[in-house]
Amino acid sequence: MRVLALAAFAAVLACVSPVSAQIAVAKPKAMPWRSLIEWQPKQGPVTYASDDLRLTVTASEAANPDERFAIVTLTRSGMAPVVLRGEPGIGWRFGIGRVDAKVKAPAVLLESFTGGAHCCSVIDVAVPEGKGYRVVRLTHRGVDGKSSDMFDAALDEFPIDLSGDGIADFVLTDDAFLYRFSSYAGSMPPPLVLNIRAGRTVDVSKAPGLRPLVLMQMAEARAYCTAPASLDSERNGACAGYVADAARAGQFAAAWRVMLAHYDRESTWNRAPFPADLKAFLRERGYIR
C-alpha cells in the first residue's frame, strides 16, 4: 500500500510541478525603449526586462491602501539591486532611456503623480555611474524660491537630447508663472529644462541649443497675447510667458513693445500695473537683469 501511495503522489507532482515552475520563472515582459508604462497597485507585481536589465515593480506596504506607492527594483548582472521609491499618489509610470550619450547602460525613470489641483509629478531617475547606479530626484527652484521636487508638468516619454550636447533634456515648465498673472488655464509658463549632471539636477533652460524649443513656445504664447480681446480672454498670462520666452531668445525689447500694445489693461488679477509687475517678476526669476 505504501508503494502505491508514493506512486500516486509522484503522479500528482508530475502534473503540478511544470505549472508551478512556469509561475515561478514566468518570463518578464520586454521593456520598450523610452516608453513610460503606467502602473497601479491593483495590478500587483510586474516584471520587465531589456537585455541584462530587469525591473520589478511592486507596491509599498501601508495600513491605508491609498498611501501605497510604486517601488521599482532594478537588477543587472554583477551589481547589487537598486531601488526607486515613488511618492504616495494616484498613479505611477516607469521606463528606460539614456541620460548621457556616452554611457550605453540605460537609466531608469519613475514618475509619481501625487494628485491634487493641477499637481504634481515627482521624478526619480536611477542613473548609471561606474559599475552601479545613483538615484537622483529632480529638483528645481520652486514658486517660493526654495528647492522643490514637485512639478506641475509631467513627462510623456523618456527625455531625449534636444540641445545637441549628448545629455537628455527633461522639459517641464516654470511653475512660478502659474496663477501669477491669470488663472491656471490662462497661464502659459516658459519651458523649464533640466539635465542630470554629476548626480545632480542642473537647470539648462538658457542653453543656446534649446533656442528652437523656446521659439516654438514663444510663437504660441504670442498668438494668445495678441488675440482680439473677449470676455473669455486672459491675455496677460500669455503675454507674461511670451515676454519671458523672448528674453531667453534674445528678443526681449521687441516682445516688450508687442506686450505693451496688447496686454489687458482692465485685468484686476494683480494689484500693481501689469507691465511693472511683470518686469519685476522677470528680474526676480532671472529672465532679465
Side-chain angles (χ1 to χ4, degrees), residues 99-125:
V99 294
D100 188 337
K102 297 178 181 178
V103 180
K104 293 183 178 181
V108 179
L109 182 151
L110 172 61
E111 186 173 33
S112 305
F113 299 97
T114 63
H118 312 301
C119 203
C120 288
S121 61
V122 178
I123 302 168
D124 294 294
V125 187

Side-chain angles (χ1 to χ4, degrees), residues 216-277:
M216 180 176 67
Q217 299 271 19
M218 174 181 160
E220 182 179 0
R222 186 185 192 280
Y224 283 94
C225 176
T226 60
S230 71
L231 293 178
D232 299 325
S233 171
E234 289 189 272
R235 282 171 290 144
N236 289 357
C239 289
Y242 165 57
V243 173
D245 290 330
R248 288 267 166 86
Q251 300 180 27
F252 174 76
W256 189 261
R257 290 192 294 270
V258 171
M259 178 275 296
L260 290 177
H262 293 91
Y263 79 93
D264 182 3
R265 290 165 173 76
E266 304 301 321
S267 174
T268 58
W269 193 267
N270 302 100
R271 294 180 180 179
F274 175 71
D277 194 20

Side-chain angles (χ1 to χ4, degrees), residues 175-196:
D175 297 342
F177 283 76
L178 300 175
Y179 298 107
R180 183 61 175 78
F181 302 101
S182 66
S183 69
Y184 179 91
S187 302
M188 298 192 71
L192 168 70
V193 186
L194 304 176
N195 284 176
I196 297 177

Side-chain angles (χ1 to χ4, degrees), residues 13-61:
L13 285 179
C15 295
V16 174
S17 295
V19 177
S20 301
Q22 290 176 6
I23 294 175
V25 295
K27 185 177 180 180
K29 300 178 182 179
M31 186 72 221
W33 192 259
R34 294 193 58 233
S35 295
L36 296 185
I37 299 174
E38 295 185 4
W39 180 87
Q40 290 285 344
K42 63 182 180 182
Q43 294 176 233
V46 296
T47 301
Y48 285 80
S50 176
D51 294 329
D52 65 340
L53 174 70
R54 179 171 296 203
L55 304 179
T56 300
V57 186
T58 58
S60 66
E61 294 183 1

Side-chain angles (χ1 to χ4, degrees), residues 132-156:
Y133 278 81
R134 177 191 293 194
V135 176
V136 178
R137 174 164 289 189
L138 295 190
T139 59
H140 67 119
R141 181 189 177 194
V143 176
D144 59 1
K146 299 178 181 179
S147 179
S148 171
D149 59 8
M150 297 284 189
F151 298 89
D152 175 77
L155 301 172
D156 294 325

